[in-house]
Amino acid sequence: MVPATSGSGRSGSAVAPFTVLATADGPGIRARGVRARGVRARLGRLELPHGVVETPQFMPVGTNATVKALDPGDLEAAGASIVLANTYHLFLRPGHERIERLGGLHRFMGWDRPILTDSGGFQVVSLADARVIDADGATFRSHIDGSERRLTPELAMRVQEALGPDIAVALDHPVYPSRPRAEVEDAMERTHRWAEKSLAAHERPDQALFGIIQGGIDPELRERSTRFIAALDFDGICIGGLAGDETPVQRARALDVVVPLLDGDPRPRYLMGLGSPADLLEAVVSGIDLFDSVLPARVARNGQLWVPGDGEEPGRLNLRNAAFLDDPRPVQEDCPCLLCTQFSRAYLAHLLRARELLAYRLATCHNLTFTLDFMARIRAALRAGTFPESLAFLRARAGRISGGAVAVEPA
Ligand SMILES: [Zn+2]
């Protein structure tokens, strides 16, 4: 157990106070395909300069300062209380200094609720060309115009201070969980050095700073990384290097190493990159508070719509299927979204086949509404003290789709 940090500076935290309102501790409850383990789900409230975020919570991803195909009104209607924007993308285009001159990211994208910007590390290792990562940073060629760029922990802090999100994240060096142990360890050690440099470089007093745990799926590395990052003066703890190519069982085991070590730690826990309802629920059970992923929006644009599962149905409709061209029903009977309240499956199936732009907006509105409503149902069960009993229902509703089965490509 890591003692609650206290004393010096930021953690605790004055910048982003986090309150655990309820927990659902319970003896072993058998997850499907996962060995019996305790339920560590918790209900929380994260107070940020632009508003309060209730947890467990999902953050839609606005890669280029927009959640693809949606405007801020669509996001509010879908129930979003915080969005994520990508540091790497905004650094390359249109440039953090330009956004700063234009009044910061909130004003630039017309979103006045909380924003988190990610570290940039994931895109550097997954998108950029000809990257060379050394002790002090990463040199790479922009995937947009081929220009040579360099991102260091210090510059990643300057970029995020200029953008002005409520939460910034320290630059890390992620690797896929399946990489050799020596490679995972090397990237983890570099992430630790960069975490210290990020803390030293970060100056904005009105902005929270989260650090990232790495260590792949190796229990010993995960433990070392958890102890190292948790001992630093961050406002929140990100768990990186998962939601990649590991299995759900490997992910649950990694979280079973990390979360008990954070027991009693007053800071929020954010698992980066997880996005299918089934994966989100199991990570909540493991004790995670915050999530982000491009997955619900990406699969929506591909015609895959989340719907409640019932234990038999998998929880997904593929609107590319010709059978839907004659289906007058809404995608989901009781869904309050723009798509389901006004249009039929047949109409969306037609729009997708005709590659009409409205298809992307309607489908994305639905999948984000479903995802954010699902998180609200989880919170309601935690608030009512009925989460363990509600798990069977929530698991059926989530369906059986794991993100790895749908997409693992970078944003
Ligand atoms: Zn809907």
Side-chain angles (χ1 to χ4, degrees), residues 206-389:
D206 61 340
Q207 183 176 66
L209 178 59
F210 286 15
I212 305 181
I213 295 167
Q214 286 289 343
I217 51 173
D218 183 289
E220 193 260 331
L221 295 181
R222 271 288 159 193
E223 178 176 344
R224 266 168 58 195
S225 194
T226 304
R227 290 187 187 282
F228 187 92
I229 296 297
L232 297 178
D233 206 10
F234 288 114
D235 301 302
I237 305 291
C238 306
I239 299 158
L242 295 175
D245 56 4
E246 80 283 7
T247 66
V249 174
Q250 289 173 319
R251 183 185 314 130
R253 284 182 182 149
L255 294 178
D256 280 349
V257 172
V258 170
V259 175
L261 289 166
L262 298 173
D263 191 24
D265 190 303
R267 296 169 290 185
R269 308 161 186 159
Y270 161 28
L271 176 51
M272 310 174 89
L274 207 61
S276 87
D279 288 342
L280 293 171
L281 178 59
E282 297 314 321
V284 166
V285 170
S286 293
I288 303 301
D289 307 305
L290 283 170
F291 304 92
D292 80 282
S293 175
V294 296
L295 188 78
R298 174 175 289 154
V299 302
R301 297 195 301 275
N302 198 31
Q304 298 176 59
L305 283 287
W306 296 155
V307 290
D310 62 5
E312 300 298 324
E313 295 299 318
R316 175 174 55 174
L317 298 181
N318 183 356
L319 269 285
R320 299 263 178 203
N321 188 323
F324 292 115
L325 286 167
D326 292 299
D327 193 333
R329 293 174 293 171
V331 163
Q332 183 188 329
E333 203 64 59
D334 58 349
C335 176
C337 87
L338 179 64
L339 169 64
C340 297
T341 52
Q342 296 191 39
F343 304 103
S344 64
R345 295 175 179 185
Y347 185 60
L348 181 61
H350 158 67
L351 293 181
L352 285 162
R353 285 180 170 232
R355 299 177 192 275
E356 279 293 339
L357 299 181
L358 182 59
Y360 308 124
R361 179 180 175 214
L362 296 178
T364 305
C365 279
H366 172 79
N367 272 8
L368 288 179
T369 298
F370 182 90
T371 304
L372 293 162
D373 171 75
F374 186 65
M375 302 309 287
R377 287 169 187 265
I378 290 173
R379 292 194 302 275
L382 286 164
R383 195 174 291 115
T386 58
F387 185 77
E389 307 89 285

